[in-house]
């Protein structure tokens, strides 16, 4: 089974670079450049087999989602994101360094431009 979350964005033109340039998602389907097209407010992205849908359509979710992505080498991913420009002040505040949690996971979280929280983690 594959879970593919829809992430609602207030401005796809701001969210798409955050996911593709900072969080290293590959753009599988870019928004249609025609602003009158229904597909101008949608993008499909993929990272290591995980897909997310970014949508500016009002009916696709609410702001403030939480998405959890399990990864293999969380420290390397975190360092890549920092190298891509992720900072502690990014996107309204949820950016934490990797931490070993009491429930057996090592995790860090970031917030996208709309305050959606994305947590990356792996088993300790």
């Amino acid at each position: 089974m594959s879970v593919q979350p829809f992430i609602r964005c207030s401005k796809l033109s701001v969210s798409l670079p955050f996911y593709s340039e900072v969080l290293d998602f590959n753009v599988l389907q870019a928004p249609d450049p025609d602003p009158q097209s229904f597909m101008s407010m949608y993008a499909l992205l993929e990272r290591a087999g995980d897909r997310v849908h970014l949508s500016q359509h009002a009916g696709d979710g609410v702001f403030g989602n939480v998405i959890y992505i399990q990864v293999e080498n969380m420290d390397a991913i975190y360092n890549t994101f920092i190298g891509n420009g992720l900072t502690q002040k990014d996107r309204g505040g949820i950016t934490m360094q990797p931490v070993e949690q009491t429930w057996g996971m090592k995790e860090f979280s970031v917030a996208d431009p709309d305050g959606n929280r994305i947590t990356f983690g792996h088993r300790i």
Side-chain angles (χ1 to χ4, degrees):
M1 180 168 86
S2 172
V3 176
Q4 297 183 21
F6 267 78
I7 302 170
R8 183 156 176 223
C9 308
S10 61
K11 292 181 97 179
L12 191 57
S13 62
V14 174
S15 294
L16 187 58
F18 176 77
Y19 281 88
S20 63
E21 296 169 15
V22 177
L23 299 187
D24 274 345
F25 278 83
N26 297 310
V27 179
L28 298 180
Q29 182 176 343
D32 188 322
D34 176 4
Q36 301 303 314
S37 168
F38 181 79
M39 297 306 285
S40 68
M41 299 190 313
Y42 169 84
L44 175 62
L45 298 98
E46 183 270 339
R47 184 180 192 295
D50 297 313
R51 290 184 173 188
V52 296
H53 303 259
L54 299 180
S55 174
Q56 195 173 318
H57 294 284
D60 287 338
V62 296
F63 300 117
N65 287 303
V66 177
I67 299 150
Y68 195 97
I69 301 174
Q70 283 195 310
V71 296
E72 294 296 319
N73 189 340
M74 202 240 339
D75 291 317
I77 291 168
Y78 177 79
N79 290 329
T80 296
F81 294 170
I82 295 297
N84 290 346
L86 184 68
T87 68
Q88 293 297 323
K89 297 178 183 176
D90 235 21
R91 315 294 183 217
I94 305 172
T95 301
M96 64 178 210
Q97 294 179 357
V99 65
E100 290 187 8
Q101 304 290 5
T102 58
W103 49 87
M105 298 293 288
K106 188 170 184 181
E107 304 173 334
F108 73 93
S109 296
V110 300
D112 76 3
D114 290 300
N116 296 300
R117 179 175 157 180
I118 305 105
T119 298
F120 296 85
H122 74 253
R123 292 215 176 275
I124 297 173

